[in-house]
Amino acid sequence: MYELWFQAIATFLALLPIANPIGAIPVFHALTEVDTRSYRRHQARHTVINVILVLATFLVAGRLILGFFHLSLGVLRIAGGLLIARVAWEKATTSSHPRHRKPLIDHEDISFTPMAVPLISGPGAIGVVMGMASKATGWLDYFGCLLGIGLLGVSLYLCLTLGDSLLDHLGKSTVDAFNRILGFLVLAIAVQFVTDGTVMLLQEAMHKLL
């Protein structure tokens, strides 16, 4: 039992700074600002489910999946960065004036893309669970990793639901200004994703040459 919880906590702590549930709060709020409160909670639940499913899948069969499609983590990081950039550009350039805002309705599903993939369970988190899988020596280690992924899901749900309610209490002008700044910051994250992915590809190319 001690080894199980040790593995679970180790997995959770390894994923926490990469998945960054707290950092997902403003992004989630910005993407669901025109949705109803019930739909936001629906999106939060489905985001958590998608994150757990993605990480669990790559924990069990990550190398097989990447090998089948001949993909590398560098390629995934670049693709994720481009995907985030599209969303960020819309947030940074869309007018925040009330007449341009959409009414409070249920909007598009953002629980899988871009929230779960690539923002939370992106190439970095996938790399962590694949690294954990490579060190696993038995079913107990795998179960501990799955438990750690579940702990990440719980913390993510608490951050998205409680943090979203906190942002709701801010003034409208404050939230609008915040969303503008957020769009720029998320765009910067996207550029970082693409840059890191490019560096990874160059390192892989240099390694093959050597």
Side-chain angles (χ1 to χ4, degrees), residues 73-85 118 123 193-194 197:
L73 289 176
V75 172
L76 289 181
R77 188 170 285 271
I78 292 175
L82 294 176
L83 190 60
I84 295 175
F193 265 60
V194 174

Side-chain angles (χ1 to χ4, degrees), residues 70-72 200-210:
H70 302 287
L71 297 176
S72 67
M200 291 177 68
L201 290 180
L202 290 176
Q203 290 176 341
E204 290 175 5
M206 291 295 294
H207 182 72
K208 290 180 180 179
L209 290 176
L210 297 176

Side-chain angles (χ1 to χ4, degrees), residues 33-194:
E33 62 176 326
V34 297
D35 296 326
T36 61
R37 180 176 296 275
S38 62
Y39 191 67
R40 286 187 194 179
R41 292 190 176 275
H42 173 270
Q43 290 287 281
R45 287 194 300 272
H46 279 258
T47 296
V48 171
I49 291 172
N50 287 330
V51 166
I52 292 175
L53 288 177
V54 168
L55 294 181
T57 299
F58 276 93
L59 173 70
V60 176
R63 296 190 181 279
L64 181 63
I65 293 172
L66 294 183
F68 180 80
F69 290 103
H70 302 287
L71 297 176
S72 67
L73 289 176
V75 172
L76 289 181
R77 188 170 285 271
I78 292 175
L82 294 176
L83 190 60
I84 295 175
R86 181 186 69 84
V87 177
W89 182 259
E90 292 178 357
K91 297 303 300 179
T93 58
T94 300
S95 173
S96 61
H97 193 277
R99 67 181 180 182
H100 295 292
R101 291 168 62 94
K102 296 180 181 179
L104 195 62
I105 57 173
D106 294 343
H107 198 213
E108 61 182 331
D109 185 353
I110 49 90
S111 62
F112 187 81
T113 303
M115 285 304 301
V117 180
L119 198 60
I120 301 171
S121 54
I126 289 173
V128 168
V129 296
M130 288 179 62
M132 289 290 185
S134 66
K135 298 177 182 178
T137 57
W139 67 269
L140 195 64
D141 289 337
Y142 277 100
F143 191 72
C145 290
L146 289 174
L147 190 57
I149 293 172
L151 292 175
L152 176 70
V154 172
S155 66
L156 175 62
Y157 183 75
L158 292 175
C159 287
L160 294 184
T161 53
L162 299 180
D164 191 50
S165 298
L166 177 63
L167 289 177
D168 275 344
H169 287 84
L170 297 176
K172 176 184 172 302
S173 59
T174 302
V175 172
D176 284 345
F178 181 75
N179 285 337
R180 286 285 192 151
I181 297 172
L182 173 66
F184 175 76
L185 293 177
V186 175
L187 186 59
I189 293 173
V191 173
Q192 187 66 57
F193 265 60
V194 174

